[in-house]
Amino acid sequence: RDLAVTLPLAAALTQLGIGKVFGVQVTARVLAWHHVSGWLAYNLSESERKDAPDQAWRYFDHDQTHGLIAVAGWERGPWTLGGRVRLATGEPRTPVLGAFYDSRTGRFEPIVGPHNGERLPTFFAADVRAERRFPLGGAHAAVYLEIQNLTNRANAEEIIYSADFSQRGYLTSLPLLAIAGVRIER
């Protein structure tokens, strides 16, 4: 986006930005060991961009420096049990340092800090699932129960502010969510 205060007509977007991403991911997987399968993965990355040649480097809007995920499942006969745990660095956000009242528009305008200069809190979630399969005539059926966000953690999805920017809070993810269902396959 052009950084000028008054944008040129039909030239709001420019081709001056550059970006760089460095990272590594390590994954370990277990296949069918005593009816247990699963995997563990960790990624370390840094995603930065520069909006124009004279600008400083900043984090990409969705940069997550650290990510850890573990998945395990047990299957025996008609039963399947599984779980997943996820941990990730919060995404970058631009902090609001203060605000001023614009009498022309009748509202407060934020005074922002460095672009993507802070992060949302660390994300953590644990999910579990149980399923029982059985024959149903010429088809197969399954009943299942899945619980998402087992720890009922209020993960921060976004920063929200009061109208005058004097108070801030977080828009949080869904609370513990139980889902039960039936699946029929031919």
Side-chain angles (χ1 to χ4, degrees), residues 3 18 58:
L3 300 174
I18 59 174
R58 66 170 178 85

Side-chain angles (χ1 to χ4, degrees), residues 98-150:
F100 64 90
Y101 183 74
D102 184 345
S103 60
R104 189 174 49 88
T105 62
R107 61 180 192 219
F108 286 87
E109 295 294 333
I111 300 169
V112 297
H115 194 141
N116 290 344
E118 68 178 10
R119 287 188 177 271
L120 291 172
T122 300
F123 175 91
F124 175 80
D127 310 317
V128 293
R129 178 182 170 93
E131 181 176 296
R132 169 72 160 90
R133 294 176 305 283
F134 54 91
L136 182 66
H140 298 283
V143 294
Y144 61 87
L145 175 64
E146 186 171 310
I147 301 175
Q148 296 180 2
N149 195 10
L150 185 63

